[in-house]
Amino acid sequence: MGWATDFASQQAAIASLRRADIEVVVDEVADLSQLETLLTALAGQDVLIWPNAYHVATVEGGEQTVWLGDVIDSFNLPMIGTNATALKNVLAKSQCQQLLEQHNVAIPAFAAINEAMLDDLPFVVQSRNLSFPLFVKPDNLSTSKGISQDCMVEDIDALKAKVIELGEQFGYPVMVEEFLPGRDITVAVFLSGEKPTLLATYYD
């Protein structure tokens, strides 16, 4: 689901699985029809699917796409990774923060800034209880795209400049949230066996 998307990382993952005596078959599909043909052939077999993309084109070479996880779920096949519903909730950062906020999870103050809000940034900062320094990042991207040391801003002018830069490069809205210092922690949850196994990693 968006990981191991380059050839080298795919080969490393495949080699690890094969060293563990797991049979690995790699299938590439160009569009929805090819995917449905493949999944139909796999139905009823003893397989575990590991998709490495979020979307598949509805027609080869076309711009319209559907969520890969939704298609796999419709075939009721076991899959490694997060289902499409969770991915949709997580990929749009502002939508994810709203869900967490609605369920009373502690999160930093945030705002999703669209182009029409650029002239009212002081009001947005005040109404959303934002305080500097703020962190600015693309709203709908993963794997840290668009994120650099320059994403931390200290005043309204720098905030506006960074929102415009990221908006023009990656599209609006742009996510703004209070900067939280510290380590970036990722926790993998393996739901196998009698109880979940947690594997935490951090980036210093």
Side-chain angles (χ1 to χ4, degrees):
M1 286 306 190
W3 297 92
T5 52
D6 63 274
F7 182 78
S9 60
Q10 285 177 29
Q11 298 312 301
I14 291 167
S16 295
L17 291 168
R18 287 180 173 154
R19 281 196 303 272
D21 292 327
I22 296 170
E23 180 185 354
V24 180
V25 177
V26 178
D27 289 291
E28 293 188 13
V29 296
D31 60 22
L32 179 58
S33 176
Q34 290 183 23
L35 176 61
E36 289 176 336
T37 299
L38 171 65
L39 296 177
T40 299
L42 293 176
Q45 296 186 38
D46 186 18
V47 297
L48 179 60
I49 297 174
W50 188 353
N52 80 321
Y54 295 126
H55 306 97
V56 61
T58 53
V59 178
E60 184 173 357
E63 293 185 8
Q64 288 190 328
T65 62
V66 294
W67 283 85
L68 193 59
D70 281 339
V71 181
I72 296 170
D73 283 346
S74 72
F75 280 78
N76 200 29
L77 289 164
M79 174 179 73
I80 293 175
T82 309
N83 66 25
T85 300
L87 283 174
K88 292 171 190 176
N89 288 337
V90 170
L91 269 179
K93 294 175 181 65
S94 57
Q95 180 177 313
C96 182
Q97 294 292 67
Q98 287 169 7
L99 276 172
L100 294 173
E101 189 174 48
Q102 289 165 11
H103 289 85
N104 300 314
V105 176
I107 57 171
F110 73 95
I113 310 296
N114 59 41
E115 216 166 352
M117 299 164 69
L118 289 172
D119 291 331
D120 295 320
L121 281 182
F123 172 76
V124 173
V125 167
Q126 183 179 13
S127 64
R128 292 294 297 173
N129 296 316
L130 294 165
S131 58
F132 291 96
L134 296 172
F135 200 78
V136 187
K137 56 190 174 184
D139 185 64
N140 200 20
L141 290 176
S142 61
T143 64
S144 299
K145 287 179 183 172
I147 293 178
S148 68
Q149 293 289 97
D150 298 332
C151 288
M152 189 171 73
V153 297
E154 300 282 355
D155 56 47
I156 286 288
D157 291 337
L159 172 61
K160 185 172 184 178
K162 194 64 183 178
V163 169
I164 291 172
E165 177 190 331
L166 293 181
E168 290 179 351
Q169 188 173 1
F170 300 106
Y172 290 93
V174 173
M175 181 68 168
V176 176
E177 61 186 8
E178 288 188 349
F179 176 72
L180 297 179
R183 292 170 171 168
D184 185 1
I185 299 171
T186 300
V187 179
V189 182
F190 295 91
L191 298 174
S192 59
E194 294 182 2
K195 61 181 181 179
T197 301
L198 304 182
L199 176 63
T201 61
Y202 73 87
Y203 304 89
D204 197 350

